[in-house]
Every structure is written in C-alpha cells, then in structure tokens.
Amino acid sequence: MLIVNALYGHGPMAIAGPSPLNSHLTYNAVMWEVYNFTLASDLSIIASGASPLLSKLFGKSVGIKKNLKVIFHDFPGGAEGFELMLRFCYNGRIDITPSNISLLHSAAQFMEMNKSASEKHNLLEQTEKSLEEIKYWTWQELLIALKQCQDFLLIANSAGVLGRCLDSLAGRLALTSESSPCASTSSPDSSSVRFSSDTRSTESLKNSFTRSTWWFEDLLLLSPKLVEMVTKSMVSRNIDHVIISKFLLFYHKSKSSAATADEKCKIVETIIDMLYTLDQSSVSCKSLFGFLRVSLSLNLSKSSRSKLESMIGYQMDQATLDNLLVPSPHGTNYLYDVNLVLRFLKAFIQRGGFQVSLMPMQKVASLMDLYMAEVAPDPCLKPSKFLALAKALPDSARESQDKMYRAIDLYFEVHAGLSEEDKIKICCDLNYEKLSAEACLHLSQNAKFPSNSAVQALISQQFKVKSLLRTTNNYKFENDPPCSFNKTEKKGKEDEANEQIILYAGKPDLSADNEKLRAHLQVMQCRVMELEKVCRKMQTQMAKIMKSKVSRHSNARSLPKLCS
C-alpha cells in the first residue's frame, strides 16, 4: 500500500518541496542519489519519455526552481527495482532476464509505463514479450523468478507475473509425475538417480518415489503464502493429492525447526488450510494427530483448528486410544480433553454429509468403549460429559454393550457420591438386550447400579429365553418326520408348559425385595446360558440334516424315470 504525503496532489509518490540537499530519491525508507545531474533535468527526461505517472506529478511542480525531494513508498524491489527502471528510461533498453523480469514488470505496472506513454520506452510491452518465453526457462530460473516475486508479493500478483510463474511451475510438476523430472538443484545429477536396466523392484520403487518428490527441497525457499498459491495451482492441474500432502508435510517439518513461534503458527495454519482442500484420504490419521500435538502450544486461528478437527473426525475409525488421550486445556479440571473427542465424533457422524457405513462405525464404537473406560476414573469428569460420550454414537454401532457396561461400572465406582438420578440417566443409554448373560449376571449382583437396572436386565433376559425356546421348538418341528407332527406338537406344548417362565405383568414393583429379585435373576442367567448351548448344538445338527437332504434330493433327480 502506498503512503502519500504530497505537497502537490496525490499519488504513489510525493514531492516534498524544495530541499537544500543535492537531488535525491527516497523510497522504502532508503535514500539513493540519482547520478550527478540536477533533479529537474533527470525527471524531465523520465517524465517526457517513459511514465505518465511522473509526467502528471511534475506537471504540477512547474515554476519550482530549486531541487526537489521525491518520496516513493512500497516501490517494487526497492532501490534495485527503481535503478533498473531508471536504466531503462535513460538507455531505452535493458537486458530482460528471468532474474530481473519480476522486478521490471512490476515496476512498469507501478509507474504506468504502458503503450499509451511511449512507443519507444514501453517497458511493460517488452516484459510481456519476455514472459511469453517462460516455457523455455530452466527450473532454476523459474525458482529465482518466484523467489523475487515473494519479496513484493502483492504487486507481483496484481501485475500478473506471479500467476504466470505459478502456472508454469505447476505445469512442469504435472509433467514430472508422468515422466522424468526437470533439472533440480536438490537431486543428484541435476535430476534423479540413474539406475541400470537390471534394476531390482525395490530400486524401481525408490526411483519412482524420487521422480515424484525430487522438487520438495527446492520449494523450501518459498514463503508460506507462496506455498499456499503453489498448492492451489497444483490442485488445479490435477496433481496427485497424496504427493501434494507429502510435500506439505515435508515443508512443515523442514521449516518449523528453526522458526519462531509466530512463524511456526503461520506455517501450521497454511499447511492445515491446504490439507483441508485435498482428498481426506490423502493424508494419514497419524500425521493429522501430529499436527494436533504441535498446535496445542500454538495460538492457531479458530478456523484452522476447526478444519484440523474435521479432518481428524473424518478418519476417526483409524485413530488409536493414545491419539485421543489429549491433555485438557489450561484452566479446566478434566484430566483429558473430552470436549475435543466429542467434536471429533460429531465430525465423524457428519462425515461430509454421507452416511457412515457399519464397519467404520463399529470400529469407532469399540474405540469409544476403551476411551470411556480410560476417562471414567477421572474424579473431575462430570456425569453430563460421560453421558455425552455414551450417547455420541447410535445404538446400531455396538453389537455388544458389555464393554460400555464395564466403563459405566468403573465410573460409578470412582464417583461413589453420584445421585440416583444421574445414575439412572447414564443407565438409560445402556441397551440391556445387548448385554451378555455374564454381564447381566454381574449387573444383578452390582449394588452400584440402580435397582430398576437389575429389573430391566431380568426382563430382557426373559425375552431372550422365550425367543430361544421358540427357536428350539421350530428346529424340532423341522427335524421331525411328517408322520410324527401331532405327537411332536403335543409334546412341545407340554414341554413349554413345564418350562414356562412367568413374566411380570405391567410395571414391576421397585419396592420389592431386591435380594430375591437378584437371586431370581441369577437362576435365569444359568437357564439362559444352558439354552444358548442347546440352541447352538441344535443349529449345528440342523445344518447337517439340511445338507444331507439337499444331497439326497440332488441324487434322486439325477436318476432315470424308470429307476425312480
């Protein structure tokens, strides 16, 4: 941005008035003496032949006889850029190379040195023609031009030279991913390692990896802002997102070691923002948790933290228990950051608006059972937070809730002073039908749980017994021959009458003797386990019978009619 402090009008430079000093120019807080001529003489040449901007400015200073001090602010390239521009103005020509084209082109834009000013001194047109030959530049020349652009990024970007350099860079990298790389200062033999024709498969893989990553070290000279622009250009060129993510991780690892806290924060924010634009599967869950650990000590923006948490949540099914055990932030009493894990789970459930398949959901449910058991002993963990963890996933995510029951049991043991109301709320999310017989037996003897929990476990187990009895009778019916159907049906009714289990009608009386209830439940568990064994045995026998029937039926169809 140009600071204007003019005695005559407004513009990107200002005439500060008569000065007793010799003629000189000031820009970017640098004093630079312009040869050994009078200022009026020099600037009249510049104004008349090159820049409409100078012409307009000095047109307002007519009548001033003494020397003038001209102040430029944010001139592209500072003293170097202004000197190049002056050389062109005096001589009418200058050698335009990749090492100075960024400066010259931006200076020409800044000073409005376009075709309308002068056909002879048209610096902008000459730099435009030189930029058309960018495809013939070497890799090293392209890097020099980019490095120069980042010194005056805003002006270079608006002038268009930066965009052309980025497009050329991304185009070369896109070709590199399909063929051998361009010359690189960071790779052996200026390109890649050469191998003999009888290279082994491992060496071939190494060569392939080198072809994909040879340019990583070369781009370390770029600033985080320029890395962001390069990444966007590579994405637009459909370069493999896995390669892009590896480069971003390499850049972070290489640049962060010697960076200050503010520089490190800027680097991490840039990498996170760019990773967020890639395919979610292009970066590993391990790498994302590495960024999370680094970010704990940095003052990242809210937007970058949200993006990082969203990416981790998307890959929650690949996380481990150690990944989730993040210390709670400063100022909280919790041992671990439970709120962070809840945000991960929210991002996992949403998962970009797509429905999560059953297998990843079950993996996350198993992980959450372990996490709940880990945080349950925390004496400062509030019941609302523990309940939020229990309710975070749908009931369909768990085939068995035995581990969840153990986590709740541990939480009740540590938080002995928990109210009955809080215990009931937590137990409401426990599906008793998904508890094993052993877990129900343990619950029936567990005085830490509310009384109605034992009753609900009893009722669910009774339904299981009834279901097993019906399944057993169905298998008996299918195994018996048709001639004995009536006999079997009669016998089945008698057995059912003998084995009938009386269910509680309506609401159970919670004020009844809990000890008798628990004793009755233990008897039921034993019966359930026996019936489960019988059922499994009969299922095996049924499978064998059905297999033999199919085999006999197939043989009978293969016989001739006369024989059948």
Side-chain angles (χ1 to χ4, degrees):
M1 183 176 179
L2 302 176
I3 304 173
V4 179
N5 182 19
L7 183 63
Y8 305 98
H10 303 276
M13 64 180 181
I15 299 176
S19 172
L21 303 175
N22 292 333
S23 58
H24 58 270
L25 300 174
T26 305
Y27 40 86
N28 285 354
V30 176
M31 301 292 293
W32 182 73
E33 190 170 354
V34 185
Y35 302 105
N36 198 15
F37 302 101
T38 63
L39 185 61
S41 171
D42 287 347
L43 292 181
S44 63
I45 296 173
I46 297 173
S48 61
S51 172
L53 186 63
L54 287 172
S55 180
K56 293 175 187 177
L57 183 62
F58 284 98
K60 299 177 181 180
S61 63
V62 177
I64 297 178
K65 300 284 177 92
K66 295 184 179 181
N67 294 340
L68 303 175
K69 183 169 69 174
V70 181
I71 302 174
F72 289 88
H73 296 278
D74 297 330
F75 192 91
E80 182 184 358
F82 193 81
E83 182 177 0
L84 287 174
M85 187 271 295
L86 281 181
R87 290 179 186 275
F88 176 80
C89 291
Y90 279 112
N91 300 326
R93 59 184 177 80
I94 192 171
D95 291 333
I96 301 176
T97 64
S99 61
N100 65 18
I101 192 171
S102 299
L103 280 175
L104 289 172
H105 189 78
S106 300
Q109 287 275 14
F110 185 87
M111 300 299 289
E112 301 178 6
M113 301 172 70
N114 51 28
K115 190 173 183 179
S116 62
S118 171
E119 292 289 342
K120 184 179 179 181
H121 299 98
N122 192 346
L123 181 58
L124 189 61
E125 183 178 344
Q126 291 187 32
T127 54
E128 286 283 354
K129 287 182 179 179
S130 297
L131 281 173
E132 292 176 0
E133 300 177 357
I134 193 172
K135 59 185 177 182
Y136 301 113
W137 293 1
T138 65
W139 173 257
Q140 185 64 20
E141 289 174 336
L142 187 58
L143 291 178
I144 292 173
L146 272 173
K147 177 68 169 62
Q148 203 173 62
C149 284
Q150 75 181 7
D151 295 334
F152 44 94
L153 194 59
L154 185 61
I155 299 174
N157 191 24
S158 62
V161 62
L162 178 58
R164 295 190 186 187
C165 291
L166 290 174
D167 187 64
S168 178
L169 179 77
R172 297 186 189 202
L173 294 180
L175 290 175
T176 296
S177 62
E178 302 172 1
S179 59
S180 60
C182 306
S184 169
T185 59
S186 64
S187 55
D189 198 25
S190 297
S191 58
S192 61
V193 180
R194 298 180 182 272
F195 295 98
S196 59
S197 57
D198 57 344
T199 301
R200 296 180 181 179
S201 59
T202 53
E203 292 175 335
S204 179
L205 289 173
K206 182 180 179 181
N207 187 26
S208 176
F209 180 77
T210 303
R211 287 204 310 270
S212 301
T213 61
W214 61 269
W215 47 273
F216 283 12
E217 192 171 340
D218 289 346
L219 298 191
L220 292 180
L221 56 87
L222 303 181
S223 64
K225 181 61 179 178
L226 211 52
V227 165
E228 178 182 342
M229 301 176 77
V230 168
T231 302
K232 291 179 180 178
S233 297
M234 288 192 289
V235 171
S236 66
R237 287 278 188 165
N238 296 322
I239 295 178
D240 188 1
H241 286 197
V242 175
I243 298 298
I244 298 176
S245 67
K246 286 182 178 179
F247 162 67
L248 293 172
L249 296 175
F250 177 82
Y251 182 87
H252 167 258
K253 183 178 180 181
S254 303
K255 299 285 282 188
S256 296
S257 57
T260 64
D262 291 340
E263 291 172 343
K264 189 178 294 185
C265 184
K266 181 62 179 176
I267 291 171
V268 172
E269 285 181 347
T270 299
I271 301 303
I272 290 174
D273 291 346
M274 290 301 97
L275 288 175
Y276 189 73
T277 64
L278 306 179
D279 292 336
Q280 297 294 319
S281 58
S282 63
V283 57
S284 67
C285 185
K286 180 180 178 181
S287 298
L288 293 175
F289 274 105
F291 273 107
L292 180 66
R293 287 192 295 271
V294 170
S295 68
L296 295 177
S297 59
L298 298 175
N299 188 25
L300 293 187
S301 66
K302 186 177 180 180
S303 173
S304 296
R305 287 191 182 276
S306 178
K307 289 176 181 178
L308 179 59
E309 291 172 6
S310 177
M311 288 189 288
I312 292 177
Y314 189 90
Q315 300 190 44
M316 191 70 168
D317 55 313
Q318 301 178 29
T320 64
L321 178 61
D322 289 339
N323 294 146
L324 300 183
L325 298 179
V326 179
S328 61
H330 180 71
T332 57
N333 296 326
Y334 303 151
L335 185 61
Y336 299 111
D337 195 345
V338 176
N339 291 325
L340 178 64
V341 174
L342 289 173
R343 292 196 295 272
F344 289 160
L345 291 173
K346 183 179 179 181
F348 173 75
I349 295 296
Q350 293 175 351
R351 205 149 182 178
F354 298 100
Q355 185 175 3
V356 183
S357 58
L358 183 60
M359 185 173 294
M361 186 73 78
Q362 290 177 341
K363 286 184 178 179
V364 174
S366 178
L367 177 63
M368 289 313 301
D369 289 341
L370 295 175
Y371 183 76
M372 290 173 65
E374 191 70 27
V375 301
D378 183 1
C380 297
L381 184 61
K382 295 181 180 179
S384 59
K385 295 300 179 184
F386 189 82
L387 179 60
L389 291 172
K391 296 175 70 68
L393 297 175
D395 182 70
S396 58
R398 294 178 173 89
E399 291 183 353
S400 171
Q401 294 205 359
D402 284 10
K403 292 182 179 179
M404 186 174 174
Y405 162 72
R406 294 190 187 100
I408 295 175
D409 180 44
L410 182 58
Y411 184 77
F412 287 170
E413 182 178 351
V414 174
H415 299 77
L418 209 60
S419 66
E420 193 76 5
E421 182 181 358
D422 287 334
K423 288 183 177 181
I424 292 174
K425 285 181 180 179
I426 293 175
C427 291
C428 282
D429 201 60
L430 191 63
N431 189 340
Y432 299 93
E433 294 181 3
K434 291 189 175 183
L435 292 177
S436 65
E438 291 83 356
C440 283
L441 181 61
H442 185 273
L443 191 152
S444 67
Q445 302 170 343
N446 197 338
K448 296 188 291 290
F449 277 71
S451 300
N452 65 339
S453 296
V455 175
Q456 293 181 43
L458 172 61
I459 294 174
S460 66
Q461 290 304 304
Q462 285 180 331
F463 279 115
K464 277 188 179 180
V465 172
K466 291 279 288 182
S467 177
L468 286 171
L469 287 173
R470 284 194 294 269
T471 303
T472 303
N473 290 334
N474 290 337
Y475 278 123
K476 284 183 178 180
F477 170 75
E478 292 175 2
N479 288 330
D480 288 341
C483 59
S484 60
F485 170 74
N486 293 331
K487 182 192 249 182
T488 302
E489 183 180 15
K490 183 178 180 181
K491 189 174 183 299
K493 288 182 179 180
E494 291 175 356
D495 290 342
E496 185 177 356
N498 292 333
E499 300 293 341
Q500 182 67 39
I501 298 171
I502 301 174
L503 295 173
Y504 288 97
K507 264 190 164 183
D509 185 7
L510 297 180
S511 61
D513 189 355
N514 288 335
E515 292 300 324
K516 292 182 179 180
L517 189 60
R518 295 181 192 279
H520 184 55
L521 181 59
Q522 292 179 29
V523 175
M524 290 299 306
Q525 306 313 316
C526 297
R527 180 59 179 157
V528 167
M529 287 186 282
E530 291 176 2
L531 287 172
E532 285 178 344
K533 292 179 182 178
V534 172
C535 185
R536 284 194 294 269
K537 185 176 180 180
M538 295 190 67
Q539 286 176 343
T540 304
Q541 292 176 351
M542 183 61 187
K544 291 180 180 179
I545 293 172
M546 292 299 296
K547 186 175 181 181
S548 62
K549 284 184 178 180
V550 171
S551 178
R552 287 198 302 271
H553 183 64
S554 177
N555 293 335
R557 289 189 62 182
S558 63
L559 294 174
K561 276 189 177 181
L562 194 60
C563 299
S564 59

